[in-house]
Amino acid sequence: MKQPFRQLRGYSLDPGFSTRLDTASINEITYHIKWEELSKGPCGDYFEVVDYDPASNCFYDPVDLNAENVLAQNGLDPSEGNPKFHQQFVYTVAMKTLEHFEQSLGRKIIWSPRKPSAGASNSNDLSEGYVDRLRIYPHAFRDANAYYDPDKKAILFGYFEAAPKVQGNNFPGGVIFTCLSPDIVAHEVTHAILDSIHPRFIENTNPDVAAFHEAFADIVALLQRFTIPQLVEHQIAQTRGNLEEFSFLGELATQFGNALQGSRGALRGAIGKVDSKGIWKKYKPNPEDYKTIFEPHERGAILVATVFEAFIRLYNNTTADLLRIATNGTGILQPGAIHPDLVKRLAAAACEIAERLLHICIRALDYCPPHDITFGDYLRALITADIDTSPKDTNGYRLALIEAFRCWGIFPDRVNTLSIESLQWAKPDTLTAKQQNILKYTARFLKSHVRDIVDISTLESNNRKEIYTMSRKVQKELHNLLIYTKRNGTEEADWSDFLQKLGLTNHAKVFYYEDEIITTEKVPKLEVHKVRPVYRIGRDGKLVEQVLVTITQTFRVTNGSLQGAKFRGGCTMVINMSRDYDVEYIIYKNITSDHRFTYQMDYQQGKNASFTALSDSMYEEESGFRSINFAHLHFH
């Protein structure tokens, strides 16, 4: 049965583009989103829009998307002045973004759970902490900002007055609503989803962590834009098929950027940017940038530019034959507008590449370590994720990504070459016979416990709470298995060696840091964050069935100048359900690594001169970690 859709109108770019002759026809489009039962707000299975404006001390009447007059016209007319349209639009873009994630990941998104309140007693209620809906506040405050609040489980959008000078599409001194920018909405929803998938990615353990959160949110927002055919066709026609020239497709939050005092254009660009003279120039890959730039947004822009470098390489390679046909083999187009049929073919290629690359970027999250992410780790995750869903790289996606990362100077640790074989995460086939037996025992243990989750995950109904509850039950059982030193006749030494292969330990550890002997708690705390089955369709049409397991462990420093600091280790395990629960990958960060401990402590204390350039206002101390403070990172 074909999935029914709800059609809702909205902007493809920003509201200001509807006041320009050249873009008005393509700025107002109709989005197709998955149908769900809604109450006023809108309030559905995943999101609840609450339109309270504290600055004006008022609640705006909630929109009813089920009203006959609203359904009949595919939603309300796009309008900057109608709060009900604002509610409709944030819901629409949030759902479209979530759909891309669920399609790519092959499972339902379950929001990051609430933390137990201080002093709360341990509860046997496995549904404790479950978050049914993420709240969205379209008019949360008056400021040029928007952010995801991981404690409130909410996304808050601001509004502000534009700069008093004429700039871009803005009315000088007019009101800019961040909730009407599809880029900003998608960006913030991505932060919330990323927090639900990898909750440890908010811990600022190396220069790439905060930058990755920002970059990944930008990548999703911008690639999502490239999946809108009418918008891509319009911009392809404007640039005569050359995506290396300026177009609005590669510009993030243009109206927001233009509205800021002293701004020279869009907030950020994926393909190029405006220089100090006001001239737009395409980025030229510079390997030195990754070594010298550490501010999170600027460092994140390097990763965004890297992914779009791969995108442009794929587009140029895929469309080369079309240009040869259109130019009688010269590859050089004649002056003037290109033929509409060529526009459609080029745009179709760009949309297809963007959607595939978007799904590769999202799927790669399942192949990342559960914390302490680096850009090099992400490259390996991209390559491995794509191999699992498309064993034959007939279109060159993996090669394009490798080329792009290489020209921007981003290289993973501990690989011998940049070949696909070296970059793919290693299979756990270097384990000893005893370690392999323990691994197989653990996989069989999971197989006997995960069937209930598998059964309920395949249902179409909104049963995310049941999935959450069942997953926590299996997590608890796996946790109990791992904290014991003997299982199935296994000796303590063998079990210890096996845990080390997972980046874990069942012993205390002494670290040597500068002139100090650093001691830790005797047995580090172990947490099983995720046990989730996934079902993905690869580019070759084959079904990929896996179980994802993420485990972390935490050392707490008990003495010296680092007292109270935390250091984590752990792994992501990828288990193939189709091959009798064969463990395919163990992607880990070792908790006993002296090198990683020293590097992380140096970084968090600003021992490296480059790191001290980071503003402390962007971070907040939380139980021994400098964690990313989302309220200070976005859209300033």
Side-chain angles (χ1 to χ4, degrees), residues 428 431 435-443 498 573 583 586:
L431 277 62
Q435 291 164 358
Q436 286 282 7
N437 287 335
I438 300 173
L439 188 61
K440 290 177 182 178
Y441 174 77
T442 305
F498 168 70
M573 273 200 295
V583 178
I586 302 174

Side-chain angles (χ1 to χ4, degrees), residues 63-85:
V63 66
D64 183 3
L65 295 182
N66 291 324
E68 290 184 3
N69 62 318
V70 176
L71 283 172
Q73 59 180 338
N74 294 335
L76 300 174
D77 290 331
S79 168
E80 290 184 81
N82 183 358
K84 288 189 176 182
F85 171 73

